[in-house]
Amino acid sequence: QVQLVESGGGLVQAGGSLRLSCAASGRTFNTYVMAWFRQAPGKVREFVAAISWSGGSTYYADSVKGRFTISRDNAKNTVSLEMNSLKPEDTAVYYCAADATPRNIRRNREYDYWGQGTQVTVSS
C-alpha cells in the first residue's frame, strides 16, 4: 500500500552536511504523516523529525533541533531530511516512516510503514 525507499546516507566529517531523501509510492501519500527515526548500534530507535501531511507542521527531537530540517514534496512523493552541523553522535541508521493517523508522532510503534534504512556515519 505504501512503499518507502531511503537514500542519501554516507560518510561525512563532523560539521558537514547530508541530505536524506525518502521516495514513497502509494496513492495516499499526501495524507500521511511522515517521519524520520534513527537507530545506533546498541541503542533504541529514536525519533528525529516528523512533518504533517500538509507540510504545515514540523516536529524535531531536541537533539537535532536547529540543525536538521524536514520537508516534503507531495507532488514528487518525497520527504527529505537536511542535516547540517553533523556530530559523531548523529551516526546511526536512519529510517523513513509513514502513518495516516499516528497518535504520538514521536513513538515508532505508531507507524505502519517503514523504509529499509540508510546508514549515516559522522567522523570526528
Side-chain angles (χ1 to χ4, degrees):
Q1 186 175 2
V2 177
Q3 301 295 126
L4 306 174
V5 180
E6 303 99 332
S7 63
L11 176 64
V12 65
Q13 295 185 63
S17 300
L18 281 175
R19 184 179 179 88
L20 305 183
S21 295
C22 176
S25 62
R27 298 182 180 182
T28 59
F29 170 79
N30 63 350
T31 69
Y32 279 72
V33 172
M34 303 294 297
W36 289 94
F37 290 79
R38 67 187 183 187
Q39 187 167 19
K43 299 184 69 176
V44 67
R45 187 171 298 186
E46 67 175 356
F47 171 80
V48 176
I51 187 167
S52 64
W53 64 266
S54 68
S57 299
T58 57
Y59 312 85
Y60 297 94
D62 290 341
S63 59
V64 306
K65 189 174 183 179
R67 299 189 297 120
F68 291 10
T69 302
I70 189 171
S71 61
R72 69 190 296 164
D73 187 337
N74 290 341
K76 297 181 179 179
N77 291 343
T78 59
V79 61
S80 298
L81 185 69
E82 181 71 33
M83 305 185 294
N84 299 312
S85 301
L86 283 162
K87 305 174 181 179
E89 51 263 45
D90 294 318
T91 295
V93 176
Y94 284 70
Y95 297 90
C96 179
D99 198 85
T101 57
R103 291 181 291 181
N104 187 331
I105 60 172
R106 292 175 170 82
R107 294 177 180 172
N108 58 17
R109 63 178 178 269
E110 299 289 338
Y111 291 82
D112 290 333
Y113 305 101
W114 294 86
Q116 82 289 347
T118 185
Q119 177 71 47
V120 172
T121 302
V122 184
S123 62
S124 61

